[in-house]
Amino acid sequence: MASYDVIVIGAGPGGYVSAIRCAQLGLKTAVVEGRDTLGGTCLNVGCIPSKALLHATHSLHEAEHNFAEMGLKGKSPSVDWDQMKTYKSNVVGQNTGGIEFLFKKNKIDWIKGWGSIPAAGQVKVGDDVHEAKNIIIASGSEPSSVPGAEVTIDEKIVVTSTGALDLPKIPKKMVVIGAGVIGLELGSVYARLGSDVHVVEFLDHITPGMDADVQKGLLKILKKQGLKFTLGAAVSKVETLKTKAKVTYKLRKDDSEETLDADVVLVATGRKPFTDGLGLEALGVEMSPRGQIKTDNQWRTNVPGIYAIGDAIDGPMLAHKAEDEGMAAAEVIAGKHGHVNYDVIPGVIYTTPEVASVGLTEAAAKETGRNIKVGKFSFMGNGRAKAVFQGDGFVKIIADKDTDRVLGAHIIGPAAGDLIHEICVAMEFGASAEDIALTCHAHPTYSEAVREAALACGDGAIHM
Ligand code: FAD
Ligand code: NAI
């Protein structure tokens, strides 16, 4: 039985980052992880493999649709699906191996196996009980099913994102349930590979929670790319036959029932916290009605010495949010001041073009009762974007009309996921739209569109 200052349960982006920060702050640290590799959902079956497939299939799209126009002639590449999956697995392996290296470098013990907490100060793995002055639960999340519907997930025909990242062959017809982040990213992957992708969404719009202009703009772009959408439709049943499935949904406007056939059905209707087997009920750890572990603003649960972070607690289920909480919780345990600014957490969808947002949407900004102004600039006015066939999107900045302070930004466009961080930094510094507009931006870059949107909050954009 070993004794530690901190034992972290779960080696996803929340847990592994927290452990590294604990070790850097001089705390004797171990991580319990039940998977065969480190990195959690994100590195193994989430962010990293999905981005590898998005990159590969985007490259295919470029070759098929844009190469000839650039004078790059010849046969388009054919798809070797097994090789594409090998590439994806290699990328995952490099990343998970990298975390193992970081653990060794920081002298963090990896206790292999599934952990539970028999009492505060103890973590049990197999027959061993380890002592810890502090325990951080970073046990992450798992896919949820379709609320109120008869759906059995077999990870062959009816799959979650995990199955969709590793299909034995490219389906001819794929039905995606849910037009959220997973549905649109993985739907894009298969649409680019030639699948007939039909997305069925409960709401009347895609990407719940995002700015209305983004919802409308992205829908138009994805339709142009060949994805089909049925909005305002609640899936009620998925039946599987031998190699096929039938999806039944009800249109909310008139309650009429329709069906779709598919070779593969991707269930992408959200994720829920994973806390099975930890023994939290016996310990008396308070949970929310949605199954999240309740914490205070220092990531403490109601049980002294037990903290929780990441997808297992409230807030957006994002890797970088989990990482920030992991670092902050480590700092709190080390007696320092841990802080996460939940008002400035960017969200990115890695379609082409990318979508990125931070802060308030226009509707949410109006709801605060402030006077607001909106500066918008189309990538059609950005020379660099047009050169890469991505003039379709825009940058939209929302600022306070009275103070000019930036309240939020929403981008559809090339490298939107990187551009958004200029706005994040501006918001962290309490900057005004004019501060961004007065900052010299290199030409020709996509970031000029951010400056133009900021100029549009004032006397006007130049190239529009
Ligand atoms: P997790 O990454 O889920 O890690 C938890 C770990 O804890 C797991 O490895 C699990 O095995 C382990 N564990 C659980 N219980 C125990 C136990 N009792 N004992 C031992 N080990 C245990 N987010 C982004 O920000 N960007 C993206 O591009 C992105 N893409 C995604 C794509 C997909 C397909 C999916 C599914 C998710 C994606 N996400 C993305 C979300 C992101 O993966 C999660 O928000 C993030 O992984 C949460 O980190 P975490 O550390 O809280 O939990
Ligand atoms: P989501 O919450 O983004 O979207 C789920 C969608 O399913 C919603 O639009 C919802 O209205 C719809 N839905 C629910 N029930 C339905 C029904 N019966 N019929 C039709 N539609 C229905 O969840 P998603 O896409 O599964 O992603 C889960 C989490 O993973 C998200 O919280 C996200 O933050 C994270 N993630 C992040 C990524 C990124 O940052 N790029 C990429 C992938 C996942």
Side-chain angles (χ1 to χ4, degrees), residues 2 139 169 240 250 263 296 310 344 408 422 438 457:
S139 53
K169 60 179 191 190
T240 43
K250 241 184 198 172
D263 301 304
D296 66 9
V344 187
E422 172 174 359
L438 289 176
C457 287

Side-chain angles (χ1 to χ4, degrees), residues 35-40 42-45 48 89-102 110:
R35 275 177 205 273
D36 293 339
T37 47
L38 301 172
C42 178
L43 272 60
N44 289 283
V45 290
I48 298 299
S89 303
N90 290 342
V91 173
V92 167
Q94 284 160 17
N95 281 277
T96 57
I99 309 301
E100 249 184 282
F101 163 78
L102 289 174
W110 173 8

Side-chain angles (χ1 to χ4, degrees), residues 3 68 81 90 100 111 115 121 187 281 314 323 329 336 343 383 396 400 415:
S3 179
W81 178 231
N90 290 342
E100 249 184 282
I111 305 170
E281 207 179 321
D314 192 22
E323 291 183 26
K336 296 171 78 113
D343 292 335
K396 174 175 177 178
D400 189 302

Side-chain angles (χ1 to χ4, degrees), residues 341-403:
N341 181 359
Y342 289 99
D343 292 335
V344 187
I345 295 184
V348 179
I349 308 178
Y350 297 85
T351 44
T352 301
E354 289 181 356
V355 176
S357 85
V358 67
L360 299 178
T361 62
E362 186 177 348
K366 280 181 182 151
E367 270 170 30
T368 65
R370 287 184 178 93
N371 289 319
I372 62 156
K373 56 186 174 178
V374 173
K376 208 168 163 188
F377 185 78
S378 162
F379 274 102
M380 278 298 175
N382 179 277
R384 186 78 183 278
K386 276 190 293 201
V388 299
F389 309 97
Q390 289 194 44
D392 267 349
F394 58 82
V395 179
K396 174 175 177 178
I397 294 178
I398 295 146
D400 189 302
K401 203 171 192 172
D402 303 318
T403 64

Side-chain angles (χ1 to χ4, degrees), residues 5-9 18 117 133-139 278 280 285 293-310 312-313 325-326 328-335:
D5 292 317
V6 182
I7 294 183
V8 182
I9 301 181
S18 194
I117 311 173
K133 290 187 193 123
N134 303 279
I135 296 167
I136 301 176
I137 301 170
S139 53
L278 286 168
L280 300 185
V285 172
I293 300 171
K294 277 196 186 173
T295 63
D296 66 9
N297 63 4
Q298 300 281 278
W299 305 278
R300 297 183 182 101
T301 68
N302 61 315
V303 178
I306 301 183
Y307 298 73
I309 58 169
I313 70 168
E325 289 174 343
E331 276 153 21
V332 169
I333 289 170

Side-chain angles (χ1 to χ4, degrees), residues 10 13-14 33-35 40-41 46-47 51 115 138-140 311 317-320:
E33 173 56 60
R35 275 177 205 273
T41 302
C47 327
K51 265 81 259 181
S139 53
D311 280 10
M317 287 181 159
L318 295 171
H320 41 285

